[in-house]
Structures are given as C-alpha cells and as structure tokens.
Amino acid sequence: MATSLQLPISISATSSSSLRARNTRKFAAFCSINAKAKVKIPIPPINPKDPFLSRLSSVAANSPETLLNRPVQNSDSLPYLDLFDEPKLMATPAQVERSVSYNEHRPRKPPPDLPSLLLHGRIVYIGMPLVPAVTELVVAELMYLQWMDPKQPIYIYINSTGTTRDDGETVGMESEGFAIYDAMMQLKNEIHTVAVGAAIGQACLLLSAGTKGKRFMMPHAKAMIQQPRVPSSGLMPASDVLIRAKEVITNRDILIKLLAKHTGNSVEAVTNVMRRPYYMDSTTAKEFGVIDKILWRGQEKIMADVASPEEWDKKAGVKVVDELSL
C-alpha cells in the first residue's frame, strides 16, 4: 500500500503513457478488491501534528478514487497534487516572530519618531541655530499644540546659539527669532521655557519670553545677549552695505526693547550690557530677570525652607536698626 500511495516527485522524460495507465489499472483493481472484501485500507502511522499527512491518509482511506483522477502532464511540468488547494502562507513574513535565540532585541515594529513623541508630550525642543527650517518647524508645532488644547501649557526646551553659530558667523536673519517670538505671544497657552546648554542672542529672548514664573534654567546652562551681526556683504556695493547696517541697527533696537520688557530692566541697562557679549550663568540670569527659577532637582523644597536673613536676626535676638532713624 505504501508503494501504491507514493506520488512522483518529478516526471522523467522516459516515462510513457502506457506505464501510467498500467499503474492506474493496478491501483484501481487493488481498491476494488478491498472494497468488495469490505476491508479498510491500512493507514501507516502518521505524525498527528503534520496536516499534510493527516489529510493524505484521510483521502486515501475514505475516497481513494480522487488519487486516480489526475490530469495527464507533460514531462516539462511539475507533478500535480490535487489533494489540496494552492498552498497559503499562515502569516506574512513581517508578522513572523523571530525566535529568541535568533535575536531577542529585534524590534517588531519601526522605532518611534522621537520629535513626534516629544510633541505628544507638548514639548518643543529647539536644539539648533535659528535657520528658516527650524523656525518653520517650531512655529508649526506651536500652532498645532494650541489647536490640540489651548488650555494645557507648552514646554519649550532651548539649546541654541540663536541666529549665529558658536564661532559668531551669521547663519540666519534676525527675523527668524522674531517669528518664533511673535508666535509665542499669539498663543493662548502658558509657555514654560527651559534653557539646557546655551541660550544665545535671539534664543535668550525666547527664553525670557516665557510666562512669568515659568521660565527655568538648568544649573550649568549659559545665557548670553549680544548685538546682532551684519551678514557677510561679499562684493556688494557700499550703498547696499549701508542699507544692511541700518537694518541690523533696527533689529538691535527691537531686541533691546523686548529684552527690557521681559527682564524688567530699563532700556539703558540692557543697552549697556549689550555693548559687548554678556554671558550669564544660571544665577546671574535669574538676577538679571531672564529666568525665574533654577532647576535644582530635589533642592526646591530645601531652598524654600531656608529662612531669610531678617528671620535669622529675629531668632538670634539681634535688633535691626533702621538707617533712616539715625
């Protein structure tokens, strides 16, 4: 029986139709004899987990004639098995999970888009100089976050050298910083600004333009304000260079007025410190009015519990003499 159920893997060129017909007649006679004798065709032991062998044995036991109705094939074609339909994959290759032994750290889906994850947490990160591409992205994110929820705060993390590079070369017009500033002023949301690393020039303006009481700075971050620089003039005529210089002076005056507005200093005081680059650490930036708090993690409660000098004098029994009464 085992030899009768064997299906050819390939059809050789030497096979003939007479041989196929003779084998078919032998198999039909064998099936008719067993049918008359009412004897079941013996089924060889099979693997119960193998669906192909299970189906094959079931067909051979119940309806062996289906094995005989095979179409005649050419020698160039592969053997035809009519026991099953066309094979189907149980899962697409992308859905097949690799075994742990192959690579246990292989991701099952693409890695997350980190800027999108930050945006989902209502965080806008400015980590580059203010070039047009950065300005376009930041303004679009601010508008999107206000559209999503005009009541929830927006967090802007700043690590930027403004419209210049760290070596002082101009990379963008001052209007790039003013564009982000104007977008911040138009929002209905509270804006929490946090300086991480550096906030230089126009980036320092954005840091100070956050909601009062919600402007922060990391302990070792730096802030710096400076006058706008004239872009490279190249081979421009002298009259064009003069026009550019006048525009830079106008932008400087606007920057001074805005910094004076948000830091609480006078225009004269800001003008004096901006004559040359003015660097500020977190403590100096807080004293100058650029920020409101320094983010000492875990130290906020300790600093809040520290008594003022007047309270220390009172507890120590020291009487404070009013200078006006002398």
Side-chain angles (χ1 to χ4, degrees):
M1 178 60 193
T3 58
S4 301
L5 289 178
Q6 287 180 355
L7 299 177
I9 297 178
S10 62
I11 300 176
S12 62
T14 59
S15 62
S16 60
S17 58
S18 60
L19 180 61
R20 185 183 298 106
R22 185 165 58 252
N23 290 336
T24 302
R25 287 195 298 271
K26 286 182 180 180
F27 186 78
F30 178 79
C31 293
S32 61
I33 293 172
N34 286 280
K36 292 178 180 179
K38 296 182 179 181
V39 178
K40 271 194 163 185
I41 299 177
I43 301 176
I46 60 174
N47 183 4
K49 296 183 179 180
D50 192 333
F52 180 82
L53 294 180
S54 301
R55 183 71 180 276
L56 179 63
S57 61
S58 175
V59 171
N62 299 327
S63 54
E65 63 276 1
T66 57
L67 299 175
L68 304 176
N69 301 328
R70 293 177 294 167
V72 179
Q73 297 180 350
N74 299 327
S75 59
D76 296 333
S77 62
L78 295 176
Y80 178 83
L81 297 178
D82 58 347
L83 299 178
F84 307 98
D85 297 329
E86 294 182 2
K88 298 179 181 179
L89 291 176
M90 298 181 64
T92 60
Q95 295 173 340
V96 177
E97 296 182 3
R98 302 290 186 182
S99 63
V100 177
S101 60
Y102 176 74
N103 189 349
E104 60 180 334
H105 301 295
R106 183 177 183 270
R108 299 180 184 178
K109 58 183 179 179
D113 179 13
L114 295 182
S116 298
L117 291 179
L118 291 177
L119 188 64
H120 182 69
R122 306 188 64 81
I123 296 175
V124 177
Y125 178 58
I126 305 176
M128 295 179 62
L130 301 181
V131 296
V134 174
T135 302
E136 176 186 4
L137 178 61
V138 171
V139 172
E141 289 181 337
L142 293 175
M143 296 171 62
Y144 173 77
L145 291 176
Q146 179 185 236
W147 176 79
M148 286 294 294
D149 192 340
K151 297 181 180 180
Q152 293 294 325
I154 298 174
Y155 305 90
I156 301 180
Y157 284 73
I158 301 173
N159 182 20
S160 174
T161 57
T163 55
T164 60
R165 294 193 316 191
D166 52 357
D167 58 357
E169 182 180 352
T170 302
V171 294
M173 297 181 64
E174 299 299 313
S175 58
E176 305 297 336
F178 293 144
I180 300 177
Y181 172 83
D182 290 339
M184 293 171 60
M185 295 298 102
Q186 295 297 322
L187 297 179
K188 301 177 182 178
N189 311 69
E190 277 191 354
I191 300 179
H192 300 196
T193 55
V194 183
V196 288
I200 297 175
Q202 293 277 354
C204 186
L205 171 64
L206 301 181
L207 174 63
S208 65
T211 304
K212 285 293 181 71
K214 305 296 182 181
R215 303 172 300 175
F216 307 96
M217 197 169 182
M218 294 297 181
H220 301 98
K222 292 288 184 180
M224 190 264 279
I225 52 178
Q226 62 181 354
Q227 297 188 38
R229 299 175 181 271
V230 180
S232 177
S233 57
L235 301 177
M236 296 177 60
S239 56
D240 293 353
V241 175
L242 179 60
I243 293 174
R244 282 200 170 192
K246 289 181 178 180
E247 179 64 21
V248 170
I249 293 175
T250 301
N251 291 333
R252 181 202 63 184
D253 296 339
I254 295 174
L255 181 60
I256 290 175
K257 291 179 181 178
L258 294 178
L259 283 173
K261 171 185 175 182
H262 291 287
T263 60
N265 296 292
S266 63
V267 174
E268 293 76 12
V270 177
T271 303
N272 291 332
V273 299
M274 278 186 61
R275 294 186 185 279
R276 304 300 301 168
Y278 182 61
Y279 286 89
M280 297 173 283
D281 57 12
S282 57
T283 304
T284 308
K286 183 179 179 182
E287 294 174 354
F288 193 74
V290 176
I291 62 171
D292 302 301
K293 296 180 182 179
I294 303 173
L295 288 181
W296 290 94
R297 185 172 183 179
Q299 301 296 319
E300 292 84 358
K301 187 177 185 304
I302 297 177
M303 297 303 296
D305 293 340
V306 174
S308 62
E310 293 78 10
E311 293 180 356
W312 279 105
D313 293 340
K314 184 177 179 180
K315 292 179 180 179
V318 178
K319 294 183 179 180
V320 180
V321 180
D322 190 359
E323 295 180 357
L324 297 178
S325 63
L326 297 178

